[in-house]
Amino acid sequence: MYSKDELAELIIKNPEEYNSYKKTIEEEIDLTELDFSNITLEEIDFSNTELAGTSFIDSHLSNCNFSNADLNAADFTRANVVECDFSESILNGTDFSYATVNYCNFTDADMAGCIVKEAELSDSDLSASLNLSATRADETTVWPDNDLLPDDFDTNYTKEDEEEESSSASDY
């Protein structure tokens, strides 16, 4: 049995051994609040893993499996995220500000409160994501084509618009 810090070191220095170890255990792995900033991670199995508060700032992630992971308040600021699977993950309060997120799968991912300001989400599949309208975006967010978004999703709508409307209405 590895400690949290030993697992983090395995992920960084010997990802194949980490992935092999992960296949042998039944319980969920706790990698909460770890720092994976400024590194490259490829083909890491983070599925069914506790990653709340974990930092991936300025990292490059490709072909990583985050399916069914708890990513509450995880930080992907300025990360380059390519071909990763976020299906059925919890992304409440997860920060993708200034990140490039391409060719990722967000099927059944709960995105309530997810921050995508100035993020580039082109070619990622958000069509079956949950609570996408509750994300925090801005006019510089680059959304994928409409066929990769929920049918009723308006890319011009942001939570900030609603807050500005309610605050200006209460000014009178």
Side-chain angles (χ1 to χ4, degrees), residues 51 53-59 61 71-81 86 90-101 106 111-119 121 135-138 141:
L51 291 159
T54 298
S55 176
F56 296 95
I57 295 171
D58 293 314
S59 290
L61 305 160
L71 288 155
N72 278 315
D75 196 344
F76 290 87
T77 301
R78 294 181 306 277
N80 185 19
V81 186
F86 291 93
I90 301 170
L91 298 166
N92 304 149
T94 301
D95 194 345
F96 285 101
S97 296
Y98 311 100
T100 301
V101 184
F106 288 90
M111 300 187 73
C114 187
I115 304 163
V116 292
K117 292 181 179 181
E118 296 191 41
L121 303 166
T135 58
R136 295 190 319 201
D138 62 13
T141 301

Side-chain angles (χ1 to χ4, degrees), residues 24 27 44 58 73 78 92 95 127 143 153 161:
T24 66
E27 65 271 359
I44 305 293
D58 293 314
R78 294 181 306 277
N92 304 149
D95 194 345
S127 62
W143 295 101
F153 184 70
D161 292 340

Side-chain angles (χ1 to χ4, degrees), residues 3-161:
S3 71
K4 186 191 296 191
D5 290 333
E6 289 169 334
L7 285 171
E9 193 167 319
L10 260 185
I11 289 166
I12 295 166
K13 295 183 177 173
N14 195 343
E16 296 85 12
E17 186 177 330
Y18 166 79
N19 286 338
S20 294
Y21 167 73
K22 186 163 185 326
K23 289 178 186 173
T24 66
I25 60 167
E26 304 252 338
E27 65 271 359
E28 194 171 78
I29 293 178
D30 178 7
L31 299 176
T32 56
E33 299 181 359
L34 287 175
D35 188 359
F36 292 115
S37 298
N38 299 299
I39 60 173
T40 297
L41 297 174
E42 296 178 348
E43 298 181 10
I44 305 293
D45 184 3
F46 288 116
S47 64
N48 302 304
T49 301
E50 290 284 332
L51 291 159
T54 298
S55 176
F56 296 95
I57 295 171
D58 293 314
S59 290
H60 176 79
L61 305 160
S62 65
N63 296 302
C64 292
N65 182 358
F66 291 99
S67 64
N68 203 37
D70 180 349
L71 288 155
N72 278 315
D75 196 344
F76 290 87
T77 301
R78 294 181 306 277
N80 185 19
V81 186
V82 181
E83 294 184 21
C84 292
D85 184 2
F86 291 93
S87 60
E88 299 182 30
S89 61
I90 301 170
L91 298 166
N92 304 149
T94 301
D95 194 345
F96 285 101
S97 296
Y98 311 100
T100 301
V101 184
N102 288 318
Y103 303 102
C104 293
N105 175 16
F106 288 90
T107 302
D108 294 326
D110 185 353
M111 300 187 73
C114 187
I115 304 163
V116 292
K117 292 181 179 181
E118 296 191 41
E120 214 242 76
L121 303 166
S122 60
D123 299 312
S124 285
D125 188 353
L126 300 162
S127 62
S129 63
L130 307 173
N131 300 313
L132 188 61
S133 61
T135 58
R136 295 190 319 201
D138 62 13
E139 65 279 350
T140 61
T141 301
V142 178
W143 295 101
D145 291 336
N146 285 339
D147 61 329
L148 296 173
L149 291 168
D151 291 337
D152 58 349
F153 184 70
D154 179 4
T155 58
N156 295 316
Y157 171 83
T158 65
K159 275 291 197 199
E160 289 177 347
D161 292 340

